[in-house]
Amino acid sequence: MKSTFNILYILIFAIIAFLLDPCDANDDACGRLANDIKRSNKDSYFSVKHSDVQACFESFPYDKNLAQKTIETLKKTLQGFYVYLSEAKEQPRQGFSFRAIDLVKELDSLLSNNYKTDYQFMTDIVSLIDEMKDNHLKFRPACYLIFIYNQQLSLYSAVNNDKQVIKIFADELDKNTIDCEVTHIDGRPSIEVIKEFADTLPISRDSGVRFNFALSGVTFNKNGDLIESPGSFTIRNQLPKQSSVEYALKCANDTSKKFTREWKIRPLASNIFNTSKDYWNTFCQLNNSIELTSPNAETVVPKIYKMSECKMVYKTPIAKFFVLSDNKTGVIVLTSVLPPDGNFVNEMFELQNGFNSLEKEGVKKLVLDFSGNPGGSLELALFIVYLLFPETDPSFNLDMVVTELSREAFFQATSQSVHEDFIDASLIPPLVNISSKESIARWAAETAYSVTAIGSPFDIFSYKNPAINDHFHTVKEFIGNNTYLRGGTSTQYTSKFVNRYSERLNLFIELLSGNFFNKYEWKSEDMIILTDGYCGSSCSSIAQRMAIKNNVSTVAVGGYKDTPLSYSSFPGGQVLEFEELIAELDVVGLLQNETLADLIPPPFSIRVIFGFTLKEAYDVVNKDNVNQEDVLEFVYKPAEHRFYHDEISARDPSVLWLKAAKELLN
Ligand SMILES: *[C@@H]1O[C@H](CO)[C@@H](O)[C@H](O)[C@H]1NC(C)=O
Ligand SMILES: *[C@@H]1O[C@H](CO)[C@@H](O)[C@H](O)[C@H]1NC(C)=O
Ligand SMILES: *[C@@H]1O[C@H](CO)[C@@H](O)[C@H](O)[C@H]1NC(C)=O
Ligand SMILES: *[C@@H]1O[C@H](CO)[C@@H](O)[C@H](O)[C@H]1NC(C)=O
Ligand SMILES: *[C@@H]1O[C@H](CO)[C@@H](O)[C@H](O)[C@H]1NC(C)=O
Ligand SMILES: *[C@@H]1O[C@H](CO)[C@@H](O)[C@H](O)[C@H]1NC(C)=O
Ligand SMILES: *[C@@H]1O[C@H](CO)[C@@H](O)[C@H](O)[C@H]1NC(C)=O
Ligand SMILES: *[C@@H]1O[C@H](CO)[C@@H](O)[C@H](O)[C@H]1NC(C)=O
């Protein structure tokens, strides 16, 4: 009798619940998540449930066919064009930490695992590729990157009385925790837990740089405001294993505190889905007729941090110029090498204006802060080197891997090239404004920039032979005969080359000369590069060229105490996105060539971002006579000097700039 009553009661309750909110009766795995999202859209404090995200992700069964296809595309792309495939099998040089990986073999071996879910399979590919520690190589399936996971607090590392500690940088929910020391995370020593997480990040071959990236610091936004740059330990884009994190704190007056913080989970896409099937069709499978849309940005006004030791004298979208309180040191902070409007020529003029302002202020020394700079345009990077060192050639030698497929790409792209002897005049913009010398110089610069831009990376007429300073005339000459043993594998590479039109930068300098171009008085010994090690790609090109070719000294900030730290990461050579590769192969007719069908990577059937390193750059012989055959990506280059943060400098970089000026620039 009693149990009948219970069943009846539950039934009635279920029916009422169903009538009240039909959505809540949805027991489709992604349906529950869809309901969470509908609620979260109405309330920006609301979080999607961790267990609902996980259930949705795990609702897609492993599909062996899809897995084989995905691996095939990855393998064929990497075997055809990934320049580090062989060298990645070598043990790291001292100072770096990563695992030597035979990527093709390990991708294959994933297929012999008995996966239950697509999520586990894709996550394993992501982790494997991230383990390569080449930040230009990335595999990011959209399906599992639709959410952002936020602890609503952030961490930093300070060295106090010779002891390295983790502290709370900011806390949205409880201001009383700020600057408390975090002794333990999930019951283990905090540094150990952060190191374990940081070592999964792909962003550097140097563990100390990964540690910095996991923690928070400050950076400048477009407007020139100093705001937090959140560390990836406390704000993530992959589903964390647990739904919350437990912190043990030691605060002022030795008071202890322990609390658990749930991940606040919000969607990054506003596309509507109601079921797992919808979710799969929208986010996971490739469908060009569906565009992912962003939700309305939350209008949280970021906290703006203040600096005590400087005043700003000029700003561009990617660079800020300051004069320090010593009245004799200028600072340039370069946060990116990619102007947000894509207007490179304008940015070149703007950067000059910035340096001119520093000159006008009479500064004698320069601190070049390249922290947190992910890179961007190599052209703009080289221009910045030229601005400060116009008399030296900032080119480093490059090469690409020669495979059956890339060889054919060189032949086909070159046979279709228009570049051997002339430039494409249709690219010259009309001269509309002759009202001033500056506007004519701008037009000339625009023209030089556009007509000399490299078209296909496989067009060998875009390159010249640095040994004889002449461009390559035949594909055979470009390919040459260069087989090196790397990672135990004999691998063929092209002849070393530099961009044929890199002298177009010299051309710029001339065009911009007269009233527009200044030769500055600053010498290399008047400058120092300061970074947190995350100065990547073309930022690394600037830093390494200045440090190696121009003898500018370097200071790295943060990392693990008493362990040297790199001043830059992932120099690479050139990155190519998979879509760009396929577009290139299509244009030159390789996709249509039946005899190559077995070598051509088939298109993905999932929605994914995939990119890889196409070119590698070589070190130069310098005073220490380093090996010219060293690939920069694999050479450990620690900074000469080292600073650590404290409670003040973590939020006020001007304190470190002044310290660098006082201690290292005299
Ligand atoms: C620490 O203790 C001192 C003296 O007992 C007290 O004045 C101060 O307010 C305490 N600080 C905090 C943050 O509790
Ligand atoms: C989801 O449900 C809503 C309301 O019932 C409907 O308007 C929408 O078309 C559905 N979306 C999909 C992708 O089926
Ligand atoms: C792609 O999306 C459109 C619009 O939702 C849909 O009609 C079509 O069936 C989808 N294509 C595939 C291959 O699923
Ligand atoms: C720098 O210049 C300002 C204003 O001219 C002056 O107030 C300040 O004392 C100077 N600082 C130093 C260290 O000379
Ligand atoms: C022409 O150039 C001058 C100076 O650079 C500028 O002030 C003016 O706005 C420009 N005119 C047009 C039509 O772009
Ligand atoms: C390429 O170089 C190797 C060793 O340096 C040499 O034995 C071989 O004959 C060369 N091949 C050609 C085609 O020049
Ligand atoms: C490089 O810079 C260091 C420190 O400023 C200086 O001691 C050294 O002589 C310089 N070397 C060259 C080759 O200019
Ligand atoms: C297809 O590729 C082969 C080399 O693999 C080449 O010899 C042939 O000319 C190509 N065919 C066309 C139509 O481009």
Side-chain angles (χ1 to χ4, degrees), residues 38 272-274 278 282:
K38 276 166 206 151
I272 304 287
F273 64 93
N274 301 324
D278 294 346
T282 308

Side-chain angles (χ1 to χ4, degrees), residues 320-367:
K320 319 293 167 216
F321 297 82
F322 303 88
V323 173
L324 288 186
S325 58
D326 66 1
N327 294 338
K328 60 179 188 203
T329 308
V331 179
I332 159 175
V333 180
L334 192 69
T335 50
S336 150
V337 198
L338 198 64
D341 54 4
N343 191 341
F344 295 100
V345 172
N346 190 56
E347 188 64 32
M348 289 173 180
F349 278 87
E350 285 290 273
L351 288 168
Q352 273 196 78
N353 290 342
F355 282 107
N356 293 348
S357 307
L358 292 180
E359 190 180 47
K360 215 158 65 209
E361 296 279 337
V363 303
K364 302 285 178 253
K365 311 271 173 190
L366 291 182
V367 174

Side-chain angles (χ1 to χ4, degrees), residues 366-477:
L366 291 182
V367 174
L368 310 166
D369 187 338
F370 295 155
S371 301
N373 184 326
S377 152
L378 185 62
E379 254 53 70
L380 194 55
L382 298 185
F383 176 79
I384 292 168
V385 182
Y386 266 120
L387 261 186
L388 293 173
F389 300 100
E391 65 288 349
T392 53
D393 171 10
S395 294
F396 283 8
N397 291 350
L398 303 166
D399 68 13
M400 289 184 262
V401 69
V402 179
T403 63
E404 217 180 321
L405 191 54
S406 73
R407 177 192 300 272
E408 205 52 40
F410 297 135
F411 273 106
Q412 295 299 333
T414 305
S415 74
Q416 294 176 19
S417 174
V418 295
H419 269 107
E420 173 150 27
D421 299 310
F422 65 93
I423 53 178
D424 186 354
S426 69
L427 295 171
I428 297 177
L431 175 58
V432 291
N433 189 344
I434 51 167
S435 65
S436 71
K437 255 172 124 177
E438 185 188 326
S439 54
I440 294 172
R442 263 174 205 268
W443 169 83
E446 295 275 4
T447 301
Y449 193 84
S450 53
V451 297
T452 55
I454 286 181
S456 168
F458 302 115
D459 172 0
I460 66 109
F461 294 138
S462 305
Y463 306 117
K464 67 178 178 184
N465 182 344
I468 55 173
N469 199 27
D470 187 14
H471 75 271
F472 291 96
H473 296 87
T474 65
V475 177
K476 203 161 158 265
E477 180 194 350

